[in-house]
Amino acid sequence: HPSGEYVGTASSDRTWRLWHLESGRELLLQDGHVHDVYFLSFQKDGALVASGDFAGVGNVWDLRQGKKVMSLLGHVKRILGGDFSPNGFQLVTGGDDHSARVWDLRQRTCSYVLPAHGNLVSDVRFDASGEALLTASFDGAVKVWGARDWRPLRTLKGHEGKVMAADFAHFSTATPRSAAAGGAKNWGVFSVGYDR
């Protein structure tokens, strides 16, 4: 959780839970999924959390009220990752259907589908500015997309196997933008260089 006071866990028992970090006390037990819950992502201000499951169903929950406020229906296979944009009203999910979906929380709809990869999308991450999005895939590639128009900016290749996770490296503004990716056989750091 962005506050540093709480931690969320996702489980194959079809629930996710919110815990108080210092005391270890369970604060919230949230059911509502019909299959294993695979990912959780907190909105940057900590008010909302997104969850996704192996049935391809995602949900957005309001932590202040402890209830679901939006269903994310559109992936036809497992949802494996998700991330909120720093703007607070967009969420991207990646799935086993080889796509990443952009959700507009204000309009409560999927606003764009990125036909991102040739295999499942294992991870999605916004950079700190919200201007770019990474998608990682079992096809061995990481792609960088412009978050204004969702056009592809870079394809990062070099892994010999599946890419399991990727994230932007957050350095000072004086250093080039970089991304790190971890695969089944190796990991690497790539210079992204997508400044407009």
Side-chain angles (χ1 to χ4, degrees), residues 137-161:
S137 173
F138 276 19
D139 67 7
V142 175
K143 293 186 179 181
V144 182
W145 309 82
R148 293 182 187 176
D149 53 11
W150 305 112
R151 67 185 175 91
L153 301 177
R154 295 283 183 274
T155 298
L156 311 175
K157 292 188 176 180
H159 285 285
E160 298 172 11

Side-chain angles (χ1 to χ4, degrees), residues 6 17 26 38 46 54 65 70 89 92 112 117 136 148 153 156 167 176 190:
Y6 313 105
R17 298 171 193 241
E26 179 186 299
Y38 196 75
F54 273 13
Q65 301 175 17
M70 182 177 170
F89 66 85
V92 174
Y112 204 84
H117 291 275
R148 293 182 187 176
L153 301 177
L156 311 175
D167 201 355
F190 303 88

Side-chain angles (χ1 to χ4, degrees), residues 120-181:
L120 66 83
V121 178
S122 55
D123 205 1
V124 294
R125 294 279 177 225
F126 280 98
D127 77 338
S129 71
E131 293 290 310
L133 174 79
L134 279 179
T135 58
S137 173
F138 276 19
D139 67 7
V142 175
K143 293 186 179 181
V144 182
W145 309 82
R148 293 182 187 176
D149 53 11
W150 305 112
R151 67 185 175 91
L153 301 177
R154 295 283 183 274
T155 298
L156 311 175
K157 292 188 176 180
H159 285 285
E160 298 172 11
K162 304 169 183 175
V163 180
M164 316 301 270
D167 201 355
F168 286 98
H170 302 288
F171 299 119
S172 72
T173 56
T175 58
R177 292 183 175 175
S178 300

Side-chain angles (χ1 to χ4, degrees), residues 88-109:
F89 66 85
Q90 286 178 313
L91 167 73
V92 174
T93 54
D96 199 357
D97 55 6
H98 307 185
S99 73
R101 289 182 169 264
V102 182
W103 306 90
D104 187 318
L105 303 183
R106 298 171 304 182
Q107 301 296 320
R108 303 176 62 84
T109 187

Side-chain angles (χ1 to χ4, degrees), residues 26 41-42 44 63 73 86-87 97 101 117 119 127 130 169 173:
E26 179 186 299
S41 179
F42 290 103
K44 304 311 177 198
L63 288 179
L73 302 174
N87 66 25
D97 55 6
R101 289 182 169 264
H117 291 275
N119 206 322
D127 77 338
T173 56

